[in-house]
Amino acid sequence: MKKVLTLLLMLGLSFAAFAQMVDPVKFSSKLEMLKDGEAQIVFTGKIDDGWHVYSTNLGNDGPISATFNAVKMDGAEPVGKLTPKGHEISQFDNMFGMKLRFFEKSVTFVQKIKFTKPEYSINCYLEYGACNDETCMPPTEVPFTGKGKSPAVAASAEKPKVADAAAPATEEKAEEVVEETTADTVAVAAIENDSVAAVASSDSDLYRPVINELKAYEDNPVDSSLFYIFLAGFAGGFLALLTPCVWPIIPMTVSFFLKRNKERSKAIREAVTYGISIVVIYVVLGLVVTLLFGASALNALSTNAIFNIFFCLLLVVFAASFFGAFEITLPSSWSNKIDEKSENTSGLLSIFLMAFTLTLVSFSCTGPIIGFLLVAVSTQGSILSPTIGMLGFAIALAIPFTLFAMFPSLLKSAPKSGGWMNVVKVVLGFIELAFALKFLSVADLAYGWHILDREVFLCLWIVIFGLLGIYLFGWLKFPHDDPDHRTNVPQFFIGMISLAFAIYMIPGLWGAPLKAISAFAPPMNTQDFNLHKSAVEPKSHDYEEGMAMAKAKGLPVMIDFTGFGCVNCRKMEAAVWTDPQVASVLNEKYVLISLYVDDKTPLAEPVVVNENGQQRTLRTVGDKWSYLQRVKFGANTQPFYVLIDNDGNPLNGSRSYDEDIQKYLDFLQKGLDNYKK
């Protein structure tokens, strides 16, 4: 069993690698010959799960549309517009206030051309934008370069047979994708990877890559986040122990091991095996769910409107059950058959079946906790997070059962189930009701219903936690409660905390930030009445200009790599930058430089760079900032926030899409502390 557990952990760790540079869309391009002297350039893309590529003609106020761009077309000319093909999804986006069209899984863009000379030379590219639920790619180019003899043009009519004979060879050559940049295409500046620095002043080191320095800051937060995920799972496991589905299994466990043998060493060995079996079952469950759906699919589910509505309703049903409206139990025949099998089987198999019985019998209470845990940690984007979470959950659940199996006499000192158990059920019911609103809020934001804006959400949470405090004080009764039950000391303190929490949330109805629940409540921009309005304005939209300004003022810099068409960038600005504390820090203690990677303003002169062995042409201001982000910071998605000193060195790790306001404040404060050092 230990070897199996080790193998599972190694499997999880093998998926843990994470890089800032992503390549979610793979495009290929080719030229297909048609009749009557025409052809079409076909760009075919394969899109990773969770990502989407935007369609054509979305307008200037929307995300990055797919466009066809001709650098040089000698002997050919475009016919019509770029045409998208595939399953196009149309969906209204509340952030942009418009209907967006995009593709998932795969997409094809076709541009028809017409030959005008016997020979052609084409240098063009497709530009597209891609996003997922957290980040966006900068405008990305797919080049096509080809030249050869063209069929069926008037100039070659006098030698039709030669032209016909040459046509197949021409097509074969045309379909080869040749990446090249000729001297007459653009004015070339021969530079290397870090050579955009030529644009900056000669005495500046602002463009020097700092990828390794940035990673050094970011190594610890990753480990820390996994540690917190483990602790969250561990807490969930102990919470599950207090549920009425799990507690009654303890006597059954003791009875099972008492009947097996009297030898102390063997009893301890089998008890440890039992505990390891519980851990393996739950970890495998987490792995199976994650592998079945995929880490990215779980992440997509966590923001999917339909899934969130379903999970909201599921938690409401479980809450009603805990309140005493009805009982939710799995078919008794399932657990009875496995229990009977474990009684009639000897050796390790019987112990494993006993652990499986525990899993089945307790699932009606542990199911909501497990489901919430898996969905919550799936936003980490790797298989390791759900595995670590389930490991913590399983260890917490297995420890007491292992101890009771080792030392049956401990059962005498364990509290008997009774009225306190029903109080735990009702408290869990209130908590599940509160979390159900969080899931409904995600769906409300996705569809733009505005039925659960921030003040409505807070009103409901105030009522829920107020009623929880009233219940714990004994002023509210449910069907299964003992009429003569009195409030004990633990209930009194928990009730007092619940009522204090309800009072704490009341100022939020007028726009108070409420840092303690910022990760749960809807964003501030959904609130109709807000007395705490704050605005954040970047000091510059130019890197060199902003760095010079920061040096003159003696302030650190926050670079905001963003885009006009970046949906997630707007969400961060609306949900995080509107917070008064965040706004105050950004406006007063930093020089904020916002660099738009999709800025179409042409550079004074296009620049050709050699990046990773391939030539790229920087034609626009956005191209320049995108290149800066890739080469200096090793990232290519937006939003991307990085704190640097006046020499361009990082002061902290980077941040991307995360609406947790407190973590954003901690990120900014750590940068300030390191700048002072």
Side-chain angles (χ1 to χ4, degrees):
M1 289 293 179
K2 291 181 179 179
K3 290 182 178 179
V4 173
L5 183 58
T6 304
L7 180 63
L8 291 172
L9 286 174
M10 290 179 65
L11 177 64
L13 288 169
S14 67
F15 287 94
F18 176 81
Q20 299 245 29
M21 295 292 288
V22 297
D23 186 20
V25 187
K26 282 79 176 176
F27 263 101
S28 62
S29 58
K30 64 179 181 179
L31 183 69
E32 294 181 352
M33 294 298 178
L34 303 175
K35 297 179 181 179
D36 302 325
E38 292 185 339
Q40 59 185 17
I41 303 173
V42 181
F43 301 93
T44 304
K46 300 294 182 183
I47 308 169
D48 289 352
D49 290 342
W51 287 81
H52 53 266
V53 171
Y54 290 107
S55 187
T56 57
N57 303 316
L58 296 181
N60 295 329
D61 296 328
I64 303 164
S65 302
T67 57
F68 176 79
N69 302 271
V71 178
K72 174 185 177 182
M73 296 197 73
D74 185 17
E77 61 183 21
V79 177
K81 296 181 178 180
L82 183 70
T83 304
K85 294 185 178 181
H87 177 58
E88 187 178 73
I89 300 170
S90 181
Q91 197 173 84
F92 184 83
D93 186 88
N94 188 56
M95 186 62 64
F96 280 106
M98 61 186 294
K99 185 170 285 188
L100 300 181
R101 294 175 287 107
F102 54 87
F103 297 87
E104 297 177 345
K105 304 294 185 183
S106 63
V107 63
T108 300
F109 294 104
V110 177
Q111 176 63 56
K112 184 179 286 189
I113 63 172
K114 183 178 181 179
F115 296 112
T116 58
K117 295 180 181 179
E119 294 186 357
Y120 67 88
S121 178
I122 301 173
N123 184 357
C124 60
Y125 63 92
L126 167 76
E127 185 178 72
Y128 70 91
C131 290
N132 64 8
D133 288 327
E134 293 189 357
T135 58
C136 290
M137 296 284 292
T140 308
E141 297 179 5
V142 182
F144 175 80
T145 308
K147 55 185 176 181
K149 294 183 178 180
S150 56
V153 286
S156 60
E158 59 187 34
K159 298 180 181 179
K161 292 184 179 180
V162 176
D164 291 341
T170 303
E171 180 175 352
E172 181 179 350
K173 184 174 182 178
E175 290 190 9
E176 295 180 4
V177 180
V178 183
E179 293 189 17
E180 61 180 18
T181 307
T182 56
D184 57 346
T185 300
V186 291
V188 176
I191 56 180
E192 296 300 323
N193 270 1
D194 59 344
S195 51
V196 175
V199 182
S201 58
S202 58
D203 61 343
S204 170
D205 198 22
L206 300 180
Y207 284 82
R208 179 180 60 84
V210 292
I211 299 172
N212 293 332
E213 292 91 330
L214 203 58
K215 285 182 178 178
Y217 279 110
E218 293 177 345
D219 285 338
N220 290 333
V222 172
D223 295 337
S224 176
S225 65
L226 290 177
F227 177 69
Y228 285 124
I229 288 172
F230 177 83
L231 287 183
F234 198 76
F238 274 120
L239 185 64
L241 281 171
L242 301 176
T243 60
C245 313
V246 177
W247 198 264
I249 305 175
I250 294 177
M252 185 173 71
T253 298
V254 174
S255 174
F256 174 81
F257 283 97
L258 279 175
K259 290 187 291 184
R260 290 186 65 84
N261 56 76
K262 304 294 183 181
E263 189 180 337
R264 169 60 60 186
S265 60
K266 188 175 181 181
I268 292 175
R269 188 166 60 251
E270 290 189 344
V272 171
T273 304
Y274 178 59
I276 292 175
S277 298
I278 295 173
V279 172
V280 168
I281 288 172
Y282 275 104
V283 170
V284 169
L285 176 64
L287 280 171
V288 167
V289 170
T290 309
L291 290 172
L292 186 63
F293 295 101
S296 60
L298 275 176
N299 185 17
L301 278 178
S302 68
T303 54
N304 179 273
I306 296 175
F307 173 80
N308 278 277
I309 292 172
F310 169 78
F311 212 81
C312 167
L313 295 175
L314 185 66
L315 288 179
V316 170
V317 170
F318 274 106
S321 173
F322 285 165
F323 289 150
F326 47 81
E327 292 291 335
I328 300 176
T329 57
L330 291 174
S332 58
S333 58
W334 294 8
S335 55
N336 289 340
K337 285 181 181 178
I338 294 178
D339 190 27
E340 181 183 348
K341 196 76 175 176
S342 65
E343 293 284 351
N344 298 331
T345 308
S346 59
L348 295 178
L349 180 60
S350 64
I351 297 174
F352 186 82
L353 288 173
M354 184 64 193
F356 199 72
T357 303
L358 164 66
T359 306
L360 272 182
V361 172
S362 63
F363 189 77
S364 59
C365 288
T366 60
I369 301 173
I370 293 171
F372 184 80
L373 175 67
L374 287 177
V375 172
V377 303
S378 64
T379 56
Q380 300 289 320
S382 104
I383 195 175
L384 182 62
S385 301
T387 305
I388 294 296
M390 289 300 286
L391 178 65
F393 180 91
I395 289 175
L397 195 64
I399 286 174
F401 281 95
T402 304
L403 291 175
F404 280 120
M406 282 184 185
F407 312 106
S409 59
L410 288 175
L411 184 63
K412 296 178 182 178
S413 60
K416 306 299 179 184
S417 59
W420 71 272
M421 185 72 73
N422 190 66
V423 172
V424 171
K425 284 178 62 177
V426 173
V427 171
L428 285 175
F430 277 111
I431 293 173
E432 289 193 347
L433 204 57
F435 280 120
L437 291 174
K438 166 59 180 172
F439 288 101
L440 181 60
S441 172
V442 174
D444 179 65
L445 291 170
Y447 282 112
W449 294 331
H450 296 291
I451 61 174
L452 201 61
D453 289 342
R454 189 173 184 267
E455 62 268 36
V456 178
F457 181 93
L458 291 177
C459 282
L460 292 171
W461 265 41
I462 291 168
V463 171
I464 288 171
F465 285 97
L467 288 175
L468 174 58
I470 291 172
Y471 169 78
L472 291 171
F473 282 133
W475 302 333
L476 179 66
K477 299 288 185 182
F478 284 94
H480 294 163
D481 286 322
D482 184 357
D484 300 325
H485 177 73
R486 292 185 178 183
T487 300
N488 55 39
V489 174
Q491 282 181 228
F492 172 79
F493 282 111
I494 297 173
M496 187 171 62
I497 292 171
S498 182
L499 285 177
F501 182 57
I503 296 171
Y504 160 79
M505 290 186 285
I506 292 175
L509 299 175
W510 291 273
L514 303 182
K515 306 299 182 186
I517 62 168
S518 60
F520 298 98
M524 191 74 75
N525 66 304
T526 64
Q527 184 140 340
D528 295 327
F529 184 64
N530 188 355
L531 298 178
H532 297 260
K533 287 289 184 183
S534 300
V536 174
E537 294 293 337
K539 301 294 191 301
S540 177
H541 294 287
D542 181 271
Y543 179 51
E544 294 86 4
E545 179 187 80
M547 291 297 291
M549 185 186 304
K551 192 170 187 177
K553 292 183 176 181
L555 293 175
V557 173
M558 185 176 94
I559 302 181
D560 162 35
F561 286 99
T562 183
F564 295 112
C566 176
V567 180
N568 306 301
C569 303
R570 301 293 85 75
K571 289 180 180 177
M572 284 293 291
E573 291 161 14
V576 179
W577 286 11
T578 54
D579 177 80
Q581 285 185 269
V582 173
S584 174
V585 173
L586 289 177
N587 286 330
E588 299 172 12
K589 299 182 180 180
Y590 279 94
V591 170
L592 174 62
I593 306 174
S594 290
L595 304 178
Y596 287 81
V597 298
D598 54 359
D599 188 339
K600 298 299 183 185
T601 304
L603 292 173
E605 181 178 309
V607 179
V608 176
V609 297
N610 188 346
E611 183 180 358
N612 299 325
Q614 292 185 343
Q615 284 190 337
R616 291 177 181 266
T617 303
L618 310 182
R619 299 181 177 88
T620 66
V621 171
D623 291 344
K624 178 183 175 182
W625 302 144
S626 180
Y627 179 74
L628 168 68
Q629 184 186 2
R630 294 193 306 271
V631 172
K632 184 172 178 67
F633 301 110
N636 65 341
T637 59
Q638 295 78 44
F640 183 81
Y641 309 104
V642 62
L643 309 176
I644 59 176
D645 62 17
N646 302 131
D647 296 320
N649 300 309
L651 297 169
N652 196 356
S654 62
R655 282 192 72 78
S656 53
Y657 178 80
D658 185 352
E659 294 186 16
D660 190 315
I661 295 175
Q662 187 56 52
K663 288 182 180 178
Y664 205 86
L665 283 168
D666 294 341
F667 162 72
L668 295 174
Q669 186 58 49
K670 185 176 180 181
L672 290 173
D673 294 341
N674 290 335
Y675 183 76
K676 292 174 183 176
K677 293 177 185 178

